[in-house]
Amino acid sequence: MSVPPSQAILVVEDEPSIADNILFALEKDGFEAVWVRLGNDAIAAVRKGRVDLVVLDVGLPDRTGFEVCKSIRAFSTVPILFLTARSEEIDRVLGLEIGGDDYVAKPFSPRELVARVKAILKRTTTAHLEATRTVASSTALFVVDETRRKISYVGTPLQLARYEYLLLKALILQPERVFSREQLMNQVWDSPDSSLERTVDAHIKSLRAKLRAVREGKDPITTHRGFGYSIVVEER
Ligand code: CA
């Protein structure tokens, strides 16, 4: 099964033999793969051009993958798949502050990696048609621009971290549906874990702060005590 040739994967890995394997597997599956060895080159590549997903090694010669991810997150919501060599890195990868989307632990099979890449891309591009539906109404509070991974609120583009974007989008796509924390976790996070449900609350809190910064005194997100959250998407 091949993918459209338009999907470009940036591979950031300093070990040529590992990079070779990844590039080969990605290209065999129809992806356009670009290899860089250094973290700074990766940041420049994402800034400069069209990158649909970044495969990012944690251990790089110039900067750690974590630092690189944070730098990228300052200006882009491009999906990031970490390559980790040590299990203790995994907790950090999945932590709130890093902003990675998923990880593959070394050693891994190239097939496994490609499968993970596809899963992430699929999740980030589905629901595009549903998203554009919310644009149609002139009283819409939100506009979701799936291709640029941006959401506007009453005409103001929001600066959202990756999970904030995914969480807000999930709520918007089903207006007024009451989601439990677990349901949101399952929809938005790659490795849902019920012990991380407070993570949902933390992201809702930061989302609310960003919405409030655009429009004081109005909160489109409703908390349903003991259950979860819903959103209204129309001006009333
Ligand atoms: Ca390395």
Side-chain angles (χ1 to χ4, degrees):
M1 200 176 72
S2 71
V3 295
S6 57
Q7 293 195 291
I9 314 298
L10 179 68
V11 178
V12 192
E13 168 62 66
D14 56 308
E15 286 174 58
S17 61
I18 296 177
D20 265 0
N21 279 336
I22 297 172
L23 291 181
F24 181 78
L26 287 170
E27 284 167 359
K28 205 175 86 180
D29 256 85
F31 289 101
E32 185 188 317
V34 176
W35 174 39
V36 295
R37 274 188 66 245
L38 299 177
N40 286 330
D41 293 343
I43 296 164
V46 174
R47 208 182 273 283
K48 188 173 73 186
R50 190 179 54 79
V51 174
D52 294 303
L53 184 143
V54 181
V55 176
L56 179 58
D57 187 26
V58 172
L60 294 168
D62 59 338
R63 307 175 63 179
T64 70
F66 299 131
E67 291 166 352
V68 173
C69 182
K70 277 190 181 176
S71 298
I72 289 174
R73 280 288 170 267
F75 64 91
S76 171
T77 56
V78 65
I80 295 177
L81 174 63
F82 273 107
L83 301 178
T84 62
R86 300 193 307 273
S87 57
E88 65 264 30
E89 291 171 347
I90 292 170
D91 289 341
R92 289 200 63 197
V93 168
L94 297 177
L96 263 178
E97 77 278 15
I98 300 293
D101 293 278
D102 203 353
Y103 70 93
V104 173
K106 291 178 177 178
F108 55 86
S109 78
R111 277 181 63 152
E112 180 194 349
L113 180 127
V114 171
R116 208 67 73 84
V117 165
K118 285 182 177 173
I120 296 172
L121 286 172
K122 188 175 169 207
R123 202 179 45 242
T124 54
T125 52
T126 48
H128 174 54
L129 289 175
E130 293 169 64
T132 54
R133 230 179 27 210
T134 61
V135 179
S137 161
S138 62
T139 56
L141 294 173
F142 296 96
V143 174
V144 180
D145 181 346
E146 191 85 16
T147 52
R148 294 191 180 83
R149 299 193 182 95
K150 296 268 181 211
I151 298 176
S152 295
Y153 175 53
V154 290
T156 304
L158 298 168
Q159 298 298 319
L160 300 174
R162 170 143 188 79
Y163 283 122
E164 290 170 352
Y165 165 78
L166 292 171
L167 187 58
L168 184 55
K169 190 181 78 175
L171 289 166
I172 291 169
L173 289 182
Q174 293 185 60
E176 292 174 55
R177 170 178 166 186
V178 181
F179 287 93
S180 69
R181 289 171 180 80
E182 190 186 0
Q183 286 165 340
L184 288 169
M185 200 84 221
N186 287 333
Q187 285 214 6
V188 172
W189 272 263
D190 305 305
S191 311
D193 177 344
S194 58
S195 70
L196 294 175
E197 281 176 19
R198 265 174 303 169
T199 303
V200 174
D201 296 339
H203 281 83
I204 291 281
K205 193 175 169 194
S206 63
L207 271 177
R208 278 184 161 139
K210 289 181 180 182
L211 297 174
R212 238 189 345 262
V214 172
R215 194 158 68 152
E216 191 71 45
K218 297 245 185 180
D219 185 0
I221 299 173
T222 304
T223 303
H224 300 266
R225 292 224 174 275
F227 194 72
Y229 300 98
S230 67
I231 201 165
V232 292
V233 300
E234 299 270 336
E235 193 78 76
R236 355 191 131 176

